[in-house]
Amino acid sequence: MAGWIWSSFTLIILLILYEESVFSIRCDCHFHCPDDHLNFTCLSDHKCFTIRKVIEGTKDTRLEYGCINKQGAEFQCARSNSFVPNRIMCCDDYDLCNEDLIPVIEPEVINRYYENLNISKKEPVNNSHSIALTISVTICVVFLVIALSYFYLRYRQITSKRERDSERKLFITDGSTPVSSYGELCMSSDTGSGLPALTKRSIACEISFYEEIGRGQFSVVYKGRWKQQYVAVKSICEEDQLSWNRELEIHKTAYLRHENILCYIGSDTQENDTTQEVRRLIITAYYPYKSLYDFLQTHSFDYRILYRLAYSAVCGLHYIHRSISGVQGKPAIAHRNVKSKNILVKENLTCCIGDLGLAINIDPETREINFNSCQKLPAIRYMAPEILEDTELLHSFDTYQKSDIFSFGLVLWELTRRYELAGVPLDYQPPYFEYVGTNPTLEDMRNIAVHKQIKPTLPPRFGDDFHGKVMKRLIQECLHYSPSARLTAARVKKTLHKCVIDQNFEDSGGSNTCNTTSTGLSL
């Protein structure tokens, strides 16, 4: 019994020693050699291995060799199923047995690996770019909204302050002279027919000048901004002070609020601190089409627009000519400088009369002419023959109004040339251009209009068109050499008004019957 127990114990000890005994096999090593390797070999107590790996960045592979110990879990001696393509084979048959092992990786496995790798690399990059772009845009939008809000609130604050300051300036006494922001001294100013009756104020200090939009012999017209609206500012030099005074006097004494007369807003004077030059300003409404002269350079039109422009212009001239009795009345006025540059075109393609610097009026009580002492002549090209013949002697008041009709007839001639007869308008020309050119002298116009009695005419083809014939006849009636034979502004207005009404009737299927005649009732 004791012998049997001893034998069993000895067998167990031998089995344990066998399991723990130092089993060794020599293997080839390459890329996986321990520090104490000798001649690219290693000693293993378990097995040798050979592994085929993919070289990073390529589709090529290489073989690596080494030893596996019992406790080594880095590699398994079986076909690898990991995501990274590799194949491993193990052996323990004889020394350096792994030299004869040749693992193989299928090409489709390598291709699939790189496809998955590219997808996995692209997604995080694209996502990161998208996130970065979204964050950047959001931050920029937030800062932009904050900046715009700040500037808007600042603008509102400045605007409110200006309006409060403007309201305070309404009650400035005559001894106060506020200084403008652009270094010029604001002097006396008055409100005009386009504003309610207010105390004296300084308008020039509140106007921002933008650009020059017109220039004459004695004045320059600027586009400006006043109280959140665009205005036209006419700057008159010192040599033409009498004309400036006369226009202010006309607007102060005459009731000139009419849709076809240029809205007068106010006047002011400014003195430059450095040059001591005094500028006399007249502030009026601003119209983007500017003057009829500028409009005709670039626009042609059908008979509807022709009638609208002509009729609205004569409405303004008729209102200037007529006398209105009563508290809100006005005296009869003669313009004396009717020309296409002094007629403005509104946004709705109607006209209004401007520039009353040479106007004269008749006193309703004494019937005397309140003549302007200014010796400035009106536009020479548009002078009536009787004015060209005698520019210094005083005529009857009716003579000056009839000379306005002659000038207006020349304006109608300019208008009619741009009428699209059969769809084709004539090129723009000022009156008498073929006779006196661009800059006629007084003697040139006397020779043409007085001595030779030449009048601008329209081509014969206008007589074959109904609307052309109407305008041609009307122009002839306005350009009579004798003032007494010319139509009045009321007669021209009545004729054009009938044409406008008949034009609307014709558009709805009727026939046009408007005509001209020097007889009939005046309006």
Side-chain angles (χ1 to χ4, degrees), residues 113-307:
Y113 163 70
Y114 275 105
E115 289 176 2
N116 296 334
L117 184 63
N118 289 336
I119 294 174
S120 63
K121 285 183 177 180
K122 287 179 181 179
E123 287 181 352
V125 172
N126 290 340
N127 290 339
S128 62
H129 286 176
S130 300
I131 293 173
L133 180 61
T134 303
I135 294 174
S136 301
V137 171
T138 303
I139 293 175
C140 291
V141 170
V142 170
F143 276 105
L144 180 62
V145 170
I146 294 174
L148 291 177
S149 301
Y150 169 78
F151 286 117
Y152 175 74
L153 294 175
R154 183 64 177 165
Y155 169 77
R156 289 291 301 272
Q157 182 181 5
I158 294 174
T159 303
S160 299
K161 183 177 182 301
R162 286 179 178 174
E163 290 179 355
R164 291 193 300 269
D165 292 344
S166 175
E167 295 300 325
R168 284 197 293 268
K169 287 178 184 177
L170 296 179
F171 304 99
I172 293 175
T173 60
D174 293 340
S176 301
T177 52
V179 179
S180 67
S181 58
Y182 43 88
E184 295 177 334
L185 184 64
C186 297
M187 301 171 67
S188 64
S189 59
D190 298 284
T191 56
S193 60
L195 294 174
L198 303 174
T199 57
K200 285 193 174 183
R201 61 183 299 173
S202 181
I203 299 178
C205 295
E206 305 168 11
I207 295 178
S208 300
F209 291 86
Y210 286 167
E211 59 179 335
E212 179 181 321
I213 58 175
R215 178 177 289 269
Q217 183 179 1
F218 299 98
S219 62
V220 181
V221 182
Y222 298 94
K223 178 183 178 182
R225 191 171 182 84
W226 179 72
K227 280 189 172 298
Q228 311 305 315
Q229 64 180 353
Y230 290 115
V231 294
V233 184
K234 183 178 180 181
S235 177
I236 302 173
C237 63
E238 292 189 56
E239 291 82 355
D240 202 24
Q241 180 179 355
L242 291 177
S243 175
W244 180 75
N245 291 336
R246 182 57 182 161
E247 186 157 3
L248 298 190
E249 183 181 351
I250 288 288
H251 280 290
K252 286 180 182 179
T253 58
Y255 186 70
L256 290 177
R257 290 187 184 179
H258 191 275
E259 62 179 350
N260 299 121
I261 296 177
L262 180 61
C263 177
Y264 168 77
I265 296 176
S267 62
D268 208 341
T269 57
Q270 292 178 334
E271 181 179 349
N272 190 289
D273 292 337
T274 56
T275 63
Q276 303 301 315
E277 179 184 1
V278 177
R279 296 196 303 176
R280 290 166 173 81
L281 308 179
I282 294 178
I283 300 95
T284 62
Y286 169 77
Y287 302 116
Y289 282 130
K290 303 178 184 177
S291 69
L292 183 61
Y293 172 83
D294 297 315
F295 181 81
L296 295 178
Q297 305 289 320
T298 55
H299 294 81
S300 59
F301 31 78
D302 60 12
Y303 68 92
R304 299 175 182 85
I305 304 301
L306 172 65
Y307 287 149

Side-chain angles (χ1 to χ4, degrees), residues 397-435:
F397 185 77
D398 183 65
T399 301
Y400 285 108
Q401 288 194 332
K402 287 300 182 69
S403 70
D404 285 348
I405 295 299
F406 185 92
S407 302
F408 186 73
L410 297 178
V411 173
L412 290 179
W413 179 85
E414 292 179 79
L415 265 174
T416 308
R417 280 184 59 89
R418 301 297 286 157
Y419 162 48
E420 295 175 351
L421 184 59
V424 180
L426 298 176
D427 294 335
Y428 173 79
Q429 279 188 3
Y432 301 106
F433 179 80
E434 65 271 29
Y435 302 108

Side-chain angles (χ1 to χ4, degrees), residues 180 194 215 367 377 517:
S180 67
R215 178 177 289 269
R367 306 301 298 174
L377 293 177
T517 175

Side-chain angles (χ1 to χ4, degrees), residues 294-456:
D294 297 315
F295 181 81
L296 295 178
Q297 305 289 320
T298 55
H299 294 81
S300 59
F301 31 78
D302 60 12
Y303 68 92
R304 299 175 182 85
I305 304 301
L306 172 65
Y307 287 149
R308 182 187 302 179
L309 293 170
Y311 175 68
S312 57
V314 78
C315 284
L317 184 62
H318 170 249
Y319 187 80
I320 290 175
H321 281 187
R322 68 185 297 193
S323 174
I324 302 176
S325 303
V327 177
Q328 297 289 342
K330 60 171 282 295
I333 299 173
H335 191 284
R336 294 186 63 234
N337 197 17
V338 175
K339 59 180 179 178
S340 57
K341 288 186 177 181
N342 288 340
I343 300 176
L344 288 304
V345 180
K346 297 183 178 182
E347 293 87 342
N348 61 355
L349 297 183
T350 60
C351 294
C352 59
I353 307 292
D355 194 351
L356 298 172
L358 297 183
I360 58 174
N361 64 285
I362 187 169
D363 192 307
E365 296 180 358
T366 63
R367 306 301 298 174
E368 293 181 356
I369 299 176
N370 186 2
F371 197 85
N372 184 9
S373 59
C374 175
Q375 298 301 314
K376 174 185 171 184
L377 293 177
I380 297 175
R381 186 186 298 272
Y382 293 84
M383 280 186 181
E386 62 274 14
I387 305 297
L388 285 169
E389 193 172 8
D390 186 0
T391 60
E392 295 183 358
L393 296 179
L394 296 180
H395 302 264
S396 67
F397 185 77
D398 183 65
T399 301
Y400 285 108
Q401 288 194 332
K402 287 300 182 69
S403 70
D404 285 348
I405 295 299
F406 185 92
S407 302
F408 186 73
L410 297 178
V411 173
L412 290 179
W413 179 85
E414 292 179 79
L415 265 174
T416 308
R417 280 184 59 89
R418 301 297 286 157
Y419 162 48
E420 295 175 351
L421 184 59
V424 180
L426 298 176
D427 294 335
Y428 173 79
Q429 279 188 3
Y432 301 106
F433 179 80
E434 65 271 29
Y435 302 108
V436 296
T438 305
N439 297 309
T441 63
L442 190 60
E443 290 301 322
D444 292 336
M445 291 306 304
R446 279 176 179 165
N447 182 48
I448 294 297
V450 178
H451 303 313
K452 296 181 179 180
Q453 297 186 11
I454 296 176
K455 295 181 291 185

